Amino acid sequence: MTYDGPRRTPAGLNQLLRNLNAKIASIPMILTAVVIFLGGTLWTVFYSFTNSKLLPRLSFVGLDQYERLWAAPRWLISIQNLAVYGLFSLIFSLVIGFLLAALMDQKIRFENTFRTIFLYPFALSFIVTGLVWQWILNPEFGIQSVVRSLGWSSFTFDPLYNSDIVIYGILIAALWQGTGLVMCLMLAGLRGIDEDIWKAARVDGIPMWKTYLFIIIPMMRAVFITTLVIIASGIVKVYDLVVAQTSGGPGIASEVPAKYVYDYMFQAQNLGQGFAASTMMLITVAIIIVPWAYLEFGGRKRG
Amino acid sequence: MAEVVTLNNPSAKVSTATKPVAGPRGKKPRPMLSPRNIMIYGALIFAAVYYLLPLYVMVVTSLKGMPEIRLGNIFSPPVEITFEPWVKAWATACTGLNCDGLSRGFWNSVRITIPSTVISIAIASVNGYALANWRFKGADLFFTILIVGAFIPYQVMIYPIVIVLREMGLYGSLTGLIIVHTIFGMPILTLLFRNYFTSLPEELFKAARRWRRVLDDLFQDHAADVAADLRGRDDPAGHRYLE
């Protein structure tokens, strides 16, 4: 298929025509990659230095938008929430996901049933997840009222109405939705481990938890890193869950950066501010992705 | 493994010459109610309850009437099962200006999902094939941009996309949504197809091409024969071949 064509055409044209079907076949990919992903990102970064309001305008104000952004209490709370949510979400989804996968890997019965149960929340939209958990965490209908009606009348559990812990209420719903996928990725990793390693560990009399901790988990490094990147880039995007559960409330206690961006772009009609905030999100993602990409692809030659 | 077992087996001496013993084979069966099993299944069932609880709440609440929802707690089963909310949600509930319930949104979903799935797969499979088997200069670069793009938050690219769609007159239309879905689905689908085509042995494609060439040659020979035949025999319409 690498038919090079007759070599009578001029060098530049020849270069372009070489492997022409491949290039024609890749046009959609090239367009998406260059125009939307690269072009769109650069466009947003570029316009974040302007004071665009309702429509994008080319009047540059330097770093003004960023100064305003970092002075806004709402943005600071958003960042703080994202940090708390992100940290706990990462730790818990990795730990719970791995534990569930390890349990599922014990040659149990009904494995398919359990897997379906753990994975079905992933098929639901964030909006549905958010609404259901809003009911369950609602103090008048949900867990609090049930426990109170059982006799413990001073029991208080209203994470969505207490601005100090509201982000943990969102975390509960997020973990419910996301750990199934982590479990599946981990299970695939566990299944990829050679059975002989287990046999060797059993022959040597190593307890199971030690085998997991010191042999299996280090062997699953690649799976862990990939999962980490998938979860992390999902965390930065979190938006609809918050909108469905609390819409940022109480007050501004559960704001997240993605919501800040949408509100400024499409409601407050302050495009420049929205672009600056989304550029900060881009930088956050870059901090996660670049080291991973470097570790994953930088060391060896791409093939 | 099997030999070790037979050596330890006293009855093995008799049968080693003939066949493997008909003794116990496979793993030692574990009793169903061992502490280990109780722990494993206990933990799994506990987790399953946590995962099923919201689904239970959703279904149970949907079967209750409005007064019952206001009064009781959300975990109690419905006293009086009613399917009226389901009918209402599907056909008459008001969302915004329209009062035809979920049905409108559902058909919109179908009208978005089917074309964007078909288009996405069509584009991504061709892209993936090109990346796997027709590598050209710069292909890796574009592919890397595409994959990195999958991790960029939508918020970063959303406004330029809005502008492009508005320029094309597609903003707010289903076609626009289909395009956006295709774009954001492209990285992961292209990756999947590329990996799939890379995992197939290249001989398969070569064989397929060779087979096609053989068919082509056969067909051309045949066509030439037919043409010659037609010229030779005075049978311009080729009736002989139509019989």
Side-chain angles (χ1 to χ4, degrees), chain A residues 274-293:
Chain A
F275 294 150
S278 57
T279 306
M280 293 314 301
M281 287 177 70
L282 178 68
I283 293 173
T284 321
V285 174
I287 290 172
I288 301 166
I289 298 295
V290 169
W292 167 71

Side-chain angles (χ1 to χ4, degrees), chain B residues 200-219:
Chain B
L200 292 179
E202 207 180 332
E203 281 69 33
L204 197 67
F205 294 105
K206 277 191 186 145
R209 275 197 290 276
R210 201 164 302 138
W211 175 236
R212 202 184 65 196
R213 207 165 300 143
V214 170
L215 281 183
D216 278 358
D217 287 352
L218 278 177
F219 176 74

Side-chain angles (χ1 to χ4, degrees), chain A residues 32-112:
Chain A
T32 306
V34 174
V35 177
I36 304 291
F37 289 172
L38 194 63
T41 306
L42 289 178
W43 190 93
T44 301
V45 174
F46 184 71
Y47 273 87
S48 73
F49 298 110
T50 67
N51 68 349
S52 311
K53 290 285 181 202
L54 180 59
L55 289 170
R57 278 191 307 158
L58 274 177
S59 53
F60 290 96
V61 289
L63 290 172
D64 269 13
Q65 297 286 7
Y66 291 91
E67 278 166 26
R68 266 191 59 198
L69 182 69
W70 285 101
R74 191 177 152 189
W75 175 255
L76 294 177
I77 287 177
S78 303
I79 289 287
Q80 206 181 324
N81 278 341
L82 187 66
V84 173
Y85 170 82
L87 185 72
F88 284 103
S89 175
L90 266 184
I91 295 173
F92 282 114
S93 35
L94 282 179
V95 170
I96 297 173
F98 184 79
L99 282 179
L100 286 179
L103 287 172
M104 299 272 288
D105 200 32
Q106 306 300 319
K107 305 196 172 62
I108 55 158
R109 289 181 191 198
F110 311 117
E111 189 191 315
N112 284 336

Side-chain angles (χ1 to χ4, degrees), chain B residues 2 23 38 40 44 64 71 96 131 149 152 159 168 191:
Chain B
I38 292 176
I40 290 177
L44 280 173
K64 290 176 188 169
L71 283 176
L131 283 167
I152 299 175
Y159 206 83
M168 290 163 75
L191 178 71

Side-chain angles (χ1 to χ4, degrees), chain A residues 100-147:
Chain A
L100 286 179
L103 287 172
M104 299 272 288
D105 200 32
Q106 306 300 319
K107 305 196 172 62
I108 55 158
R109 289 181 191 198
F110 311 117
E111 189 191 315
N112 284 336
T113 316
F114 279 118
R115 195 175 11 191
T116 312
I117 292 175
F118 296 146
L119 201 56
Y120 90 90
F122 189 67
L124 295 181
S125 74
F126 267 127
I127 297 286
V128 175
T129 309
L131 278 177
V132 175
W133 279 98
Q134 194 201 25
W135 297 340
I136 295 177
L137 299 177
N138 186 311
E140 278 165 47
F141 307 114
I143 294 175
Q144 180 178 310
S145 81
V146 172
V147 177

